[in-house]
Amino acid sequence: MKALDRAVAVLAAVAEGERHASGIAAATGVPRSTAHRLLRSLRAHRLVDEVEELGLVVGSRVHQLGAIAHGGALARVAPGVVELLCESTRLSVQIYQRRGDSVECLAAASPLDGLRDVVETGAVAPLCGDATSQILTAWDDRLDSASGLGETLRQVRSRGWALTEAADSRTVLSVPVRATSHRVVAALSLSGPARLRKDAARLRTELRKAAKSLEDEVRGTWPG
């Protein structure tokens, strides 16, 4: 049990910003040799990752587990918010969460007429360069270094939204949904024809209001 307690303390130190074994040992009181051994195990289980030029960060497996835990609460309230947003914008609406190198649709709605972008709830697709993927990637600590975070993602991070247009003129506008700690746990997206771009300012306002509604609905169930 002592080993487990120490491993949890080491992981918590990484989450709180310690980036190197020496700092973790000082912060936790764990001997440096023990800290190195625990970090090797945590990295093997992807609970801690090491990023060049940044150091140690919370690992991809922790993010996956957190997304699954948050997804249960989000999935319960998302359909109602998504339906209302679809009615008000007359565009297709989806909410996605990241699952490793993929994205999963938690809820979706499409208008009854016009150009519809039909996505099934539960659909999984690889991360790509569209607005949804940009939102789910831009705040990833593992890319938070000069070499890892490209200019496009820096811009997304700075302005708080993403907009992309595919070769078939399908346009996607996306904003983050955040936990209490402001960590991004989902992406709320509108998709439709190219004219969406012309009305992007108004639609961003509607998206942000809907994202805030989701955050308020589930805030009590999100640990941070």
Side-chain angles (χ1 to χ4, degrees):
M1 200 62 185
K2 187 176 182 180
L4 178 58
D5 291 340
R6 285 178 165 180
V8 171
V10 167
L11 181 57
V14 174
E16 290 165 5
E18 294 293 342
R19 295 292 177 245
H20 304 283
S22 58
I24 290 168
T28 61
V30 172
R32 187 178 298 190
S33 60
T34 303
H36 278 288
R37 177 173 54 79
L38 291 171
L39 284 167
R40 282 197 299 271
S41 296
L42 291 170
R43 285 198 296 269
H45 290 285
R46 294 184 294 119
L47 298 174
V48 169
D49 291 332
E50 190 163 10
V51 177
E52 187 178 355
E53 298 184 15
L54 182 62
L56 299 168
V57 298
V58 172
S60 58
R61 184 58 178 159
V62 175
H63 291 294
Q64 290 169 6
L65 293 171
I68 291 168
H70 293 149
L74 195 57
R76 288 193 294 272
V77 300
V81 173
V82 164
E83 288 286 351
L84 287 173
L85 188 58
C86 178
E87 289 178 14
S88 67
T89 62
R90 300 185 66 80
L91 292 166
S92 295
V93 185
Q94 308 89 27
I95 183 163
Y96 293 93
Q97 282 196 307
R98 185 172 175 175
R99 300 282 188 258
D101 292 329
S102 302
V103 296
E104 179 182 355
C105 180
L106 294 184
S110 294
L112 295 177
D113 53 12
L115 181 59
R116 306 172 65 208
D117 185 16
V118 180
V119 179
E120 296 291 335
T121 297
V124 177
L127 281 169
C128 57
D130 71 347
T132 295
S133 295
Q134 290 177 11
I135 290 294
L136 292 174
T137 305
W139 285 269
D140 189 335
D141 286 343
R142 290 165 294 163
L143 300 179
D144 195 5
S145 65
S147 61
L149 193 64
E151 184 58 31
T152 297
L153 295 185
R154 285 194 186 90
Q155 292 176 6
V156 169
R157 206 170 188 175
S158 174
R159 69 193 179 206
W161 55 270
L163 187 147
T164 54
E165 186 173 337
D168 60 0
S169 295
R170 173 180 174 269
T171 302
V172 180
L173 177 64
S174 187
V175 301
V177 179
R178 299 177 182 272
T180 307
S181 63
H182 298 292
R183 185 167 58 85
V184 174
V185 294
L188 181 61
S189 301
L190 290 173
S191 58
R195 64 177 173 80
L196 184 157
R197 181 182 291 272
K198 297 179 181 178
D199 205 15
R202 179 183 65 83
L203 293 172
R204 284 199 302 271
T205 299
E206 293 205 42
L207 266 177
R208 283 172 170 151
K209 287 180 179 178
K212 178 67 163 53
S213 177
L214 284 167
E215 292 164 355
D216 290 345
E217 286 282 349
V218 297
R219 180 155 289 153
T221 68
W222 283 348

